[in-house]
């Protein structure tokens, strides 16, 4: 090991003003936690990989001329997934003045792989050995002097979650005089190849890294260079001429040498003293919990139970109580007060605009803030504790069957908050079909805005029964599964190998109350901001189109308004879904359109158009079908545009939109029509449905038997495997 590093003793000096510091490290190493402390911002922190998908900028709390950049988590600089490419490209092109490499001290060996690659770049690096608290608890001690000896650059021991050691780290970063780093040396063939490439790469930034990649015959690095296309072409052709002389260097060989050197360094720098260590206890507890929650039979029932409890409390009992307080006390009180002001003034239109338009529309949405904040409080707890990672883990295998994977699950859960970040989070998915399917299916999840629709209908029409609210979530999940299967059939021939999902399961951690409260507040705040802007504007426009007729005369009966005209035009389309079964078909039809602006607007539209509220305006079955339609149909414009941009071409974007519209229509139609039939002919209906089900089962059973005539083998051991025509052949 003694000659593994080339030592340089120079220092790099950077002017302190306008410093850009990038945070870079493995997923789940604490980058976002540190970013939040440094900038005072509230980026989402999750105890799983893939939560930060593009770099976020913020300015340092104590000195606003310093910019901090949070980059996506990466295990290495060899980019496979889109987020790895983003991080790599940023380091190559973005030219930060300094990189803080965040290392999870409890996983030193794996984290130093990236560190060793960062050493090959031309940017100064400081390493923050994070999670010191946890490392200490696990009996892990890291001698940072030894690490500094090998890597050259400065190492700091910190704990981002406990805000320890961060000031010393930042003082060093700001002082601007950085210890120079040293890179690993490789075996002679590799170093020779790098030397041969020197004339080609000498003028480039990050020349050692570029040479190394080219020596591995990885030409994609040329694309990453910050150069004109013509220059890149020149480099490619020169490289092609040189290639023969480089010898046969395999990237696996280089990675292997890296691992060996790191192993040797870690063996010297790290001591682990497991005797009487408290965390063995934490680890032990984690293992005990996992035995139960990851159990083959118990995992899903436990998940369903936990989610049901969360919904009962946040939508039903506590959340429902708070929402009622707003909708039944605060809103009528506000309307009374404003009505009082207008009592003697002769401006009926203004009173109507404020009371029936703005207050009804905006407060109809504000009422759901307590439920949404509670729900997101619980989700924050599940995320931060590490339980969500388990769920992603156990769902991965299952999701593979429908052409998705554990990473899609991460998107789905994010989608319960908002489809926009959820769609962006699909960048961590390598397989293009899986990614597009996830983008199309994620909006089926009930985002926080749709929660307003779910809870208002559950409260006012479906008798306040939390079971209905839960059933909508299960229906969403079912639609994702069926949608995934359908898309898998369409994509069958195009599918390449599925993306293997590697996720480490973090030890369970107690969530910090501050972080949970912060996320609740963030969610509530963005909801209120939306209420004050989009929903306010939409309410005013809606009031206008429902208060005037096509001749721009003020009308007292909304039935004569412009909006009614449009609504009645599209209402027949929705009649088969049951929207008209209380005689308010056009109002319900219009609400599905205005929901394009934002899903909360569905509720505020109905608040404005139905003068006496939802109660009695639609049957229970019609209401159920209406909610389902709005859950599954195209999301709001913000999410639609994210879907188009992320899929990178408008054809796929349109396909997603069509898929969502058709699914929503067909599922709602089926629910309403089958439900009506069941209502009318209870006994006959049950018999017919059973007969159809039996016919299907028979058909598939017979087909299976015909195909398997004479074959009693399990697929894995079957001698006919090559010639077998079974669809599900493994
Ligand atoms: P990122 O993926 O690198 O952005 O990581 P996050 O900032 O999202 O953090 C991942 C998890 O590690 C979260 O649950 C954090 O609360 C936790 N975490 C971050 N820093 C520390 C630390 O210093 N000590 C402990 N015990 N946990 C930490
Ligand atoms: Mg992050």
């Amino acid at each position: 090991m003694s000659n593994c590093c080339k030592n340089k003793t120079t220092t790099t000096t950077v002017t302190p003003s306008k410093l850009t510091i990038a945070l870079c490290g493995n997923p789940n190493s604490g980058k976002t936690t540190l970013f939040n402390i440094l900038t005072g911002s509230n980026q989402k922190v999750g105890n799983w990989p893939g939560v930060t998908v593009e770099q976020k900028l913020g300015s340092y709390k104590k000195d606003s001329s310093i910019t901090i950049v949070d980059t996506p988590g990466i295990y290495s600089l060899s980019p496979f997934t889109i987020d790895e490419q983003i991080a790599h490209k940023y380091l190559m092109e973005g030219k930060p003045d300094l990189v803080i490499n965040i290392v999870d001290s409890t996983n030193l060996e794996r984290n130093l792989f990236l560190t060793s690659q960062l050493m090959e770049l031309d940017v100064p690096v400081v390493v923050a050995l994070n999670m010191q608290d946890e490392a200490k608890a696990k009996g892990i001690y890291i001698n940072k002097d030894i690490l500094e000896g090998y890597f050259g650059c400065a190492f700091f021991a910190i704990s981002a979650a406990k805000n320890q050691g961060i000031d010393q780290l930042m003082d060093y970063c700001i002082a601007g005089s950085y210890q120079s780093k040293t890179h690993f040396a490789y075996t002679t063939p590799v170093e020779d190849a790098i030397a041969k490439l020197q004339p080609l790469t000498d003028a480039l930034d990050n020349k050692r890294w570029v040479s190394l990649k080219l020596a591995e015959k990885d030409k994609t690095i040329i694309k990453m260079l910050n150069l004109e296309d013509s220059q890149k072409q020149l480099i490619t052709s020169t490289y092609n001429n040189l290639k023969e002389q480089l010898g046969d260097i395999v990237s696996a060989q280089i990675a292997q040498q890296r691992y060996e050197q790191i192993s040797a360094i870690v063996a010297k720098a790290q001591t682990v003293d497991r005797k009487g260590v408290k965390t063995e206890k934490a680890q032990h507890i984690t293992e005990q919990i996992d035995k139960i929650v990851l159990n083959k039979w118990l995992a899903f029932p436990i998940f369903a139970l936990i989610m049901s409890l969360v919904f009962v409390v946040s939508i039903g009992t506590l959340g429902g109580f708070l929402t009622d307080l707003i909708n039944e006390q605060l809103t009528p009180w506000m309307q009374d007060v404003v009505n009082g002001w207008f009592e003697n003034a002769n401006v009926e239109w203004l009173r109507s605009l404020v009371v029936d338009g703005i207050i009804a529309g905006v407060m109809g949405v504000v009422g759901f803030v307590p439920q949404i904040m509670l729900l997101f409080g619980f989700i924050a707890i599940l995320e931060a504790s590490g339980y969500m990672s388990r769920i992603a883990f156990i769902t991965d295998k299952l999701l593979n069957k429908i052409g998705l994977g554990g990473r899609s699950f991460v998107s789905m859960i994010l989608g319960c908050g908002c489809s926009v970040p959820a769609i962006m989070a699909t960048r961590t998915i390598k397989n293009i079909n899986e990614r597009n399917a996830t983008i199309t299916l994620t909006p089926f999840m009930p985002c926080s805005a749709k929660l307003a629709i779910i809870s208002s209908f559950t409260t006012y029409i479906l008798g306040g029964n939390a079971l209905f609210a839960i059933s909508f979530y299960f229906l969403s999940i079912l639609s994702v599964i069926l949608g995934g299967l359908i898309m898998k059939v369409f994509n069958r021939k195009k599918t390449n190998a599925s993306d293997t999902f590697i996720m480490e399961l973090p030890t369970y951690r107690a969530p910090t109350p501050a972080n949970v409260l912060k996320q609740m507040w963030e969610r509530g705040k963005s909801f209120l901001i939306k209420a004050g802007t989009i929903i306010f504007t939409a309410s005013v426009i809606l009031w206008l189109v429902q208060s005037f007729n096509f001749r721009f005369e003020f009308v007292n009966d909304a039935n004569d308004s412009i909006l009614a005209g449009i609504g009645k035009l599209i209402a027949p389309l929705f009649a088969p879904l049951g929207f008209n079964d209380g005689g308010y078909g056009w109002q319900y039809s219009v609400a599905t359109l205005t929901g394009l602006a934002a899903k909360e607007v569905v509720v505020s539209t109905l608040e404005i158009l139905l003068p006496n509220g939802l109660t009695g305006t639609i049957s229970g079955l019609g209401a159920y079908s209406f909610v389902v339609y709005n859950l599954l149909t195209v999301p709001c414009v913000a999410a639609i545009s994210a879907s188009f941009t992320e899929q990178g071409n408008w054809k796929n974007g349109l396909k997603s939109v069509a898929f969502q519209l058709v699914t929503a229509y067909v599922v709602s139609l089926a629910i309403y029509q089958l439900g009506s039939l069941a209502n009318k002919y209870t006994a006959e209906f049950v018999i017919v449905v059973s007969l159809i089900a039996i016919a299907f089962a028979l058909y598939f059973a017979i087909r299976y038997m015909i195909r398997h005539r004479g074959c009693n083998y399990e697929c894995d051991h079957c001698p006919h495997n090559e010639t077998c025509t079974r669809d599900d052949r493994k």
Side-chain angles (χ1 to χ4, degrees):
M1 281 308 299
S2 57
N3 64 346
C4 84
C5 306
K6 278 199 235 160
N7 273 306
K8 288 187 262 170
T9 44
T10 49
T11 55
T12 318
T13 310
V14 172
T15 10
S17 69
K18 292 262 159 27
L19 193 63
T20 302
I21 302 177
L23 309 181
C24 187
N26 285 14
N28 230 8
S29 57
K31 296 173 297 298
T32 305
T33 310
L34 182 62
F35 179 85
N36 286 348
I37 291 183
L38 295 179
T39 61
S41 103
N42 294 317
Q43 291 301 337
K44 197 170 171 54
V45 179
N47 196 355
W48 65 26
V51 172
T52 312
V53 282
E54 55 178 7
Q55 63 264 34
K56 307 237 162 48
L57 300 179
S59 41
Y60 181 40
K61 227 169 23 181
K62 296 185 182 165
D63 177 353
S64 59
S65 72
I66 297 174
T67 307
I68 314 280
V69 184
D70 185 17
T71 63
I74 46 174
Y75 291 110
S76 84
L77 275 186
S78 312
F80 287 114
T81 63
I82 295 182
D83 57 336
E84 281 173 341
Q85 281 166 14
I86 292 176
H88 188 212
K89 208 166 152 64
Y90 174 73
L91 289 171
M92 300 283 289
E93 281 185 3
K95 296 223 186 83
D97 298 306
L98 173 69
V99 169
I100 300 183
N101 173 212
I102 322 274
V103 162
D104 173 357
S105 307
T106 65
N107 261 315
L108 187 62
E109 190 155 343
R110 195 196 62 206
N111 278 248
L112 286 181
F113 189 81
L114 175 66
T115 311
S116 74
Q117 290 189 323
L118 290 173
M119 297 297 135
E120 318 270 4
L121 298 178
D122 285 349
V123 55
V125 174
V126 176
V127 182
L129 295 167
N130 190 28
M131 311 243 181
Q132 281 300 313
D133 53 320
E134 214 170 288
K136 279 208 185 99
K138 284 186 171 166
I140 299 172
Y141 296 92
I142 298 169
N143 183 333
K144 68 185 183 63
D145 295 339
I146 295 183
L147 293 178
E148 283 182 359
Y150 280 110
F151 289 96
C153 61
F155 279 64
F156 286 85
I158 69 162
S159 168
K162 301 245 145 77
N163 199 349
Q164 287 161 356
I166 292 171
D167 287 342
Q168 289 91 314
L169 168 72
M170 286 311 285
D171 287 347
Y172 174 84
C173 293
I174 294 166
S177 175
Y178 310 127
Q179 275 167 246
S180 235
K181 57 198 170 43
T182 52
H183 52 70
F184 287 178
Y186 298 96
T187 46
T188 320
V190 181
E191 291 295 345
D192 276 355
I194 294 176
K196 280 193 192 120
L197 284 159
Q198 198 183 353
L200 177 66
T201 55
D202 227 12
L204 303 175
D205 292 332
N206 303 310
K207 51 177 170 284
R208 187 173 159 91
W209 177 244
V210 179
S211 305
L212 194 57
K213 288 270 116 191
L214 289 177
E216 289 175 358
K217 314 245 163 56
D218 176 2
K219 275 199 289 187
T220 53
I221 190 73
I222 298 176
K223 273 196 230 147
M224 297 274 173
L225 300 175
N226 200 4
L227 295 174
E228 304 274 318
D229 280 350
S230 56
Q231 287 171 292
K232 287 186 192 172
Q233 271 160 15
L234 192 66
I235 292 182
T236 311
S237 61
T238 322
Y239 169 73
N240 286 340
N241 294 335
L242 255 171
K243 211 161 62 179
E244 297 311 313
Q245 308 170 24
L246 294 180
D248 206 12
I249 292 156
V250 199
S251 39
Q253 212 178 318
I254 294 183
Q256 176 71 20
Q257 292 178 29
R258 242 182 232 289
Y259 280 123
E260 281 165 11
Q261 302 196 34
I262 290 168
S263 253
I265 295 174
V266 170
K268 291 204 175 118
Q270 174 178 283
T271 46
V272 182
D273 174 13
R274 296 219 182 270
K275 262 185 280 148
V277 176
K278 262 196 278 161
T279 84
E280 289 287 288
K281 212 169 103 200
Q283 194 59 39
H284 179 71
I285 294 173
T286 294
E287 279 161 19
Q288 293 300 314
I289 299 178
D290 278 349
K291 259 190 205 153
I292 302 170
V293 302
L294 295 183
N295 176 291
K296 207 161 78 179
W297 303 108
L298 293 177
F300 284 101
I302 290 177
F303 176 52
L305 187 76
I306 290 180
M307 290 319 273
S308 305
L309 270 177
V310 165
F311 284 114
V312 167
V313 176
S314 53
I315 313 252
T317 52
L318 181 59
F321 168 75
L322 295 172
T323 293
D324 281 351
L325 221 56
I326 296 180
N327 286 350
E328 284 161 21
Q329 310 289 327
L330 184 64
T331 308
W333 174 81
M334 283 168 76
Q335 287 173 320
D336 285 348
V337 169
V338 176
N339 276 333
W341 293 344
F342 283 99
E343 212 162 330
N344 299 320
N346 197 11
V347 274
E348 167 55 19
W349 68 268
L350 186 61
R351 189 206 62 79
S352 163
L353 169 65
V354 177
V355 174
D356 308 329
I358 297 169
I359 297 183
V362 172
M363 289 305 286
V365 171
V366 169
F368 298 104
V369 168
Q371 291 178 329
I372 279 153
M373 287 176 69
L374 279 171
L375 184 65
F376 284 95
F378 284 119
I379 289 187
I381 292 174
L382 294 181
E383 269 178 12
S385 66
Y387 181 64
M388 281 297 183
S389 300
R390 266 81 186 169
I391 293 302
F393 176 74
I394 53 175
T395 47
D396 182 54
K397 226 166 139 192
L398 213 68
L399 286 169
N400 271 329
K401 292 204 166 69
I402 57 167
L404 305 175
R407 288 178 205 279
S408 320
F409 183 82
V410 174
S411 282
M412 301 288 165
I413 290 290
L414 289 176
C416 290
C418 174
S419 296
V420 177
I423 287 174
M424 291 169 68
T426 59
R427 290 180 188 181
T428 54
I429 300 172
K430 257 182 268 176
N431 180 310
I432 188 78
N433 287 334
E434 184 178 322
R435 180 158 186 250
N436 288 346
T438 309
I439 292 176
T440 309
L441 299 174
T442 296
F444 286 167
M445 296 311 287
C447 67
S448 59
K450 290 176 186 166
L451 195 61
I453 308 178
I454 294 181
S455 40
S456 62
F457 278 88
T458 307
T459 312
Y460 295 113
I461 300 196
L462 302 170
N465 190 340
L467 278 178
F468 279 114
I470 297 168
S471 76
F472 289 122
Y473 273 77
F474 281 103
L475 210 95
S476 297
I477 295 170
L478 206 69
S479 309
V480 169
I481 295 174
L482 289 179
L485 279 175
I486 294 172
M487 286 196 188
K488 197 179 168 188
V489 172
F490 280 120
N491 286 332
R492 203 171 198 169
K493 297 204 176 59
K494 292 183 267 172
T495 316
N496 37 8
S498 172
D499 180 10
T500 40
F501 180 59
I502 315 161
M503 176 187 259
E504 66 199 90
L505 295 177
T507 32
Y508 286 104
R509 298 187 176 110
T512 48
N515 188 20
V516 173
L517 289 175
K518 235 185 232 169
Q519 290 209 34
M520 288 171 73
W521 167 238
E522 281 302 301
R523 199 53 78 172
K525 193 173 78 179
S526 70
F527 213 75
L528 285 172
I529 290 175
K530 249 196 199 172
T533 50
I534 301 180
I535 294 158
F536 178 88
T537 319
S539 298
V540 172
I541 295 174
L542 264 176
W543 177 85
L544 280 174
V545 284
Q546 66 119 21
S547 302
F548 290 88
N549 61 18
F550 282 106
R551 289 186 296 280
F552 297 107
E553 293 155 350
F554 188 68
V555 289
N556 280 323
D557 185 355
N559 261 313
D560 307 325
S561 64
I562 299 177
L563 195 60
I566 302 171
K568 285 170 188 164
L569 206 66
I570 58 167
L573 204 64
F574 292 106
L577 311 191
F579 293 7
N580 192 32
D581 70 359
Y584 292 88
W586 74 259
Q587 287 91 334
Y588 278 95
S589 308
V590 158
T592 62
L593 283 191
T594 54
L596 274 177
K599 290 293 163 191
E600 299 93 330
V601 178
V602 173
V603 177
S604 55
T605 302
L606 291 173
E607 287 295 334
I608 294 170
L609 294 181
L610 304 169
N612 300 317
L614 295 178
T615 321
T617 56
I618 195 165
S619 70
L621 188 59
Y624 199 91
S625 148
F626 178 78
V627 175
V628 169
Y629 180 83
N630 281 293
L631 287 188
L632 303 183
T633 190
V634 281
C636 64
V637 275
I640 297 174
S641 94
S643 158
F644 271 76
T645 347
E646 290 300 319
Q647 298 196 66
N649 85 42
W650 60 269
K651 257 196 203 157
N652 284 339
L654 281 182
K655 266 191 214 161
S656 298
V657 166
F659 191 83
Q660 289 154 350
L661 280 174
V662 171
T663 311
Y665 197 87
V666 170
V667 176
S668 300
L669 185 73
I671 287 177
Y672 186 73
Q673 295 300 337
L674 290 179
S676 311
L677 281 181
N679 270 344
K680 244 194 239 165
Y681 314 100
T682 322
E684 295 94 318
F685 182 77
V686 173
I687 294 170
V688 170
V689 170
S690 318
L691 283 179
I692 296 177
I694 292 169
F696 261 96
L698 272 179
Y699 168 74
F700 283 109
I702 292 171
R703 201 175 75 153
Y704 183 87
M705 285 190 306
I706 292 174
R707 291 198 176 174
H708 287 77
R709 257 179 312 192
C711 188
N712 295 319
Y713 294 96
E714 287 278 313
C715 287
D716 286 345
H717 311 285
C718 177
H720 320 129
N721 208 355
E722 289 306 308
T723 50
C724 174
T725 53
R726 275 172 61 179
D727 280 352
D728 57 343
R729 179 167 65 91
K730 279 182 234 152

